Amino acid sequence: MMASWLGVTVLLLLCFLPGRGTNSSEHQWDDRGYLIFCLCMGRFGNQAEHFLGGLAFAKKIDRTLIVPPFRTYKNIEFDEWFKLEPLKEYHRVILARDFMKDLAPTHWPPGNRTGVCYGKPGRECQMKEGNPFGPFWDGLGVDFDKTISVEAYYGNPQGWMEALPVDKYPVVALRGAPAPFPMAEENIPLAKYLQWSDNIEEEAGSHIQKLMGNEKFIGIHLRNGVDWKNACEHVEGNENYMASPQCLGYGRGTKVTHKMCFPPKEEILRLVKNAVLKTKAKHIYVATDKNPMKEDLENHLKSLKVKVHHLDPWLPQIDLAILGKAELFIGNCISSFTSFVSRQRLVQDKPTQFWGYS
């Protein structure tokens, strides 16, 4: 009789114990507070730089980072493209969807949500005005009951902690990323924590195997669309333009040239041929926004029997993953698409060259 009663008691206890992934098990509330921001500047390359800067900022102010979605025409959860676990080696993180599902209803409920902008106190803070700001927060199911402006620089974490104490603002929701573009030099090593998801790795690996087998390949990135051509018209003589620090460095006084931004055909053919001769690669993989120059490259490298491949995959991140695995990568110094690849390769000690510079 006693054994039967104990069995029923244990069964009842098991039924009411919290399950995996609930507030009381996997996602416990962190009394040190949380930070979230909209990755709302530009395309993926810019967003990636802002993400790493925001990750570093979260650590400096000692708040758990609510990992924001990337923004395309919709919100893309971080773990669709990257693994979450490596980020935890650097700092405390939680996916935005998990925070909103498991923690927000209790600790950051509607009626108690404050949005924060950069600016003088009293300045209007329009957290959700325009695209992508409105759709970003709508995608998370967030409306703000109050907004404030804070006059603090993201290079001054102590100022932020004093302006937004945890007991009054347990969740700091920023209109934009607390980071500069181009990204700060000190944050470049954080690229090692951005590791592709299994799905991205598998698809990239499948393309590489199908196109190039186990043979060496050179990856190149060509920006030659009309919008990029226009953006390069007035770059000559600038010390800092878009992602140029990736090859020119920080504060060295080196100038950007038009050749770096929009290299002529002769420069592209020259550098690619030199790379082939150096690496003995038999394949070229081209990622581009417009013209892959496939025929020009094949004709120029005909005597070296090199094959040129261009996929234009459904997801640009597939291109990025493939370029990261090349024997040698040649990219555009001004482009943040290139800078994503060059950072990943830098932390893996893989070589990168740049048009008009290398």
Side-chain angles (χ1 to χ4, degrees), residues 243-300:
S244 64
Q246 66 178 310
C247 74
L248 298 183
Y250 291 77
R252 298 179 188 172
T254 313
K255 308 288 187 183
V256 175
T257 68
H258 186 268
K259 190 176 182 180
M260 292 177 188
C261 191
F262 202 81
K265 181 171 75 172
E266 294 74 19
E267 164 67 3
I268 293 168
L269 298 178
R270 177 193 71 84
L271 203 51
V272 171
K273 186 172 184 178
N274 286 348
V276 170
L277 292 172
K278 179 180 179 180
T279 63
K280 303 295 190 290
K282 291 299 180 184
H283 301 268
I284 307 293
Y285 182 83
V286 185
T288 183
D289 61 337
K290 182 68 174 178
N291 178 14
M293 294 180 59
K294 193 170 184 291
E295 187 175 343
D296 289 320
L297 288 165
E298 286 175 339
N299 288 337
H300 190 67

Side-chain angles (χ1 to χ4, degrees), residues 51-52 78-87 89 190-198 200-201 321 340 344 347-348:
F51 173 77
L52 292 177
F78 180 87
D79 62 347
E80 285 193 35
W81 292 346
F82 296 100
K83 295 174 182 175
L84 185 69
E85 289 303 312
L87 295 183
E89 297 174 20
L190 301 188
K192 70 180 180 181
Y193 300 110
L194 276 182
Q195 298 178 20
W196 294 115
S197 67
D198 289 340
I200 297 289
E201 283 283 3
F340 182 89
Q344 301 300 105
V347 298
Q348 296 174 36

Side-chain angles (χ1 to χ4, degrees), residues 8-29:
V8 171
T9 302
V10 169
L11 183 61
L12 287 170
L13 285 171
L14 287 173
C15 288
F16 288 99
L17 281 174
R20 179 174 171 79
T22 65
N23 185 0
S24 53
S25 60
E26 187 176 355
H27 301 126
Q28 298 283 350
W29 178 255

